[in-house]
Amino acid sequence: ANNDHGGYCTISQNGKTIYTDIGVGKKNSQRDIKLVPDSINKFTIVYYPSTSDVLTSYDPVTYTFNVTHKSIDDTKLLYVGPNGSTAGDGTREKPIDIETALGLVDMGGTIIALDGTYHVQNTDAAIINVPSTYSGIEGKPKTFMAEEGAHPVIDLEGEYNGFAVDADYWIFDGISVSNAGGNMKAFQLAGQYDTVKNCTFYGNGDTGFQVSR
């Protein structure tokens, strides 16, 4: 926290409060959390500012995010499909969803998108994040590509942002992204040493493809 006294926060996992009245200060603190295996774990952190500080508002601030736990033996080659989920195993017969695959694929690995129309799975985040922690490395980029002959389309339904790529050393090939919400972007590229090819962006509320930080 940037204020003098810090305030406190409460942490919930899958609707159940697991930590209450945790003091917030300038020093980092850690808490043990056990993820539910092979599932999406939804976390909510509510921050309560300290009334000892002079602030313009003391309203609580809520931040929600998901952490996916998935056990997959081979993360070098993963398949995603329109009906893919964390229940899959990443094979063509049992694909997983895009958001899960982006976080699982190994260095130098490939995600293959099957034909069909995809939708945002993490509707709370309302975006498909590819953070810097997902980066590949020089000589071992990560690839997200359409299966040969397939035309995968990510339909943002006029409500969501598309890809926000902060990671480095990625290749995106043969993907279409459409219908981003108003003032929202279909694909924002902020990483380095990334390649976007054979992709189309159409029917979006704001910029289809944008390079910026």
Side-chain angles (χ1 to χ4, degrees):
N2 294 321
N3 51 41
D4 293 334
H5 298 89
Y8 63 96
C9 68
T10 296
I11 302 175
S12 299
Q13 180 182 4
N14 297 328
K16 181 181 179 180
T17 300
I18 56 176
Y19 288 105
T20 304
D21 299 341
I22 300 174
V24 177
K26 294 183 178 180
K27 293 183 178 180
N28 292 331
S29 61
Q30 296 181 343
R31 295 291 187 276
D32 291 330
I33 294 175
K34 185 177 181 179
L35 299 178
V36 179
D38 293 318
S39 67
I40 297 175
N41 295 259
K42 182 178 180 179
F43 289 91
T44 301
I45 299 176
V46 183
Y47 169 65
Y48 301 89
S50 172
T51 55
S52 299
D53 294 305
V54 179
L55 304 173
T56 57
S57 173
Y58 297 96
D59 293 340
V61 178
T62 301
Y63 179 65
T64 301
F65 62 95
N66 291 341
V67 176
T68 300
H69 182 287
K70 184 65 186 175
S71 301
I72 291 181
D73 294 331
D74 182 10
T75 55
K76 283 287 188 182
L77 178 63
L78 297 172
Y79 283 86
V80 297
N83 297 316
S85 71
T86 55
D89 59 11
T91 62
R92 194 181 191 285
E93 292 73 25
K94 296 181 179 179
I96 55 179
D97 58 275
I98 290 174
E99 287 93 328
T100 299
L102 291 170
L104 285 176
V105 67
D106 202 357
M107 296 292 180
T110 300
I111 301 168
I112 296 181
L114 301 177
D115 195 46
T117 301
Y118 295 71
H119 301 280
V120 173
Q121 296 293 311
N122 186 357
T123 54
D124 290 322
I127 194 169
I128 304 173
N129 276 311
V130 190
S132 59
T133 51
Y134 289 6
S135 292
I137 57 176
E138 185 176 4
K140 290 186 176 182
K142 298 181 179 183
T143 301
F144 179 38
M145 63 179 292
E147 185 178 46
E148 185 175 357
H151 301 284
V153 178
I154 293 89
D155 181 1
L156 302 173
E157 304 176 73
E159 296 185 41
Y160 308 114
N161 284 284
F163 291 86
V165 182
D166 290 311
D168 303 332
Y169 294 104
W170 272 83
I171 299 170
F172 296 87
D173 186 2
I175 309 299
S176 296
V177 188
S178 67
N179 297 327
N183 297 319
M184 297 180 179
K185 300 173 180 62
F187 197 109
Q188 183 171 3
L189 180 63
Q192 302 183 73
Y193 308 106
D194 295 318
T195 301
V196 179
K197 60 182 180 180
N198 303 317
C199 295
T200 57
F201 311 96
Y202 60 91
N204 296 294
D206 198 340
T207 306
F209 176 75
Q210 179 173 318
V211 179
S212 68
R213 285 194 175 274

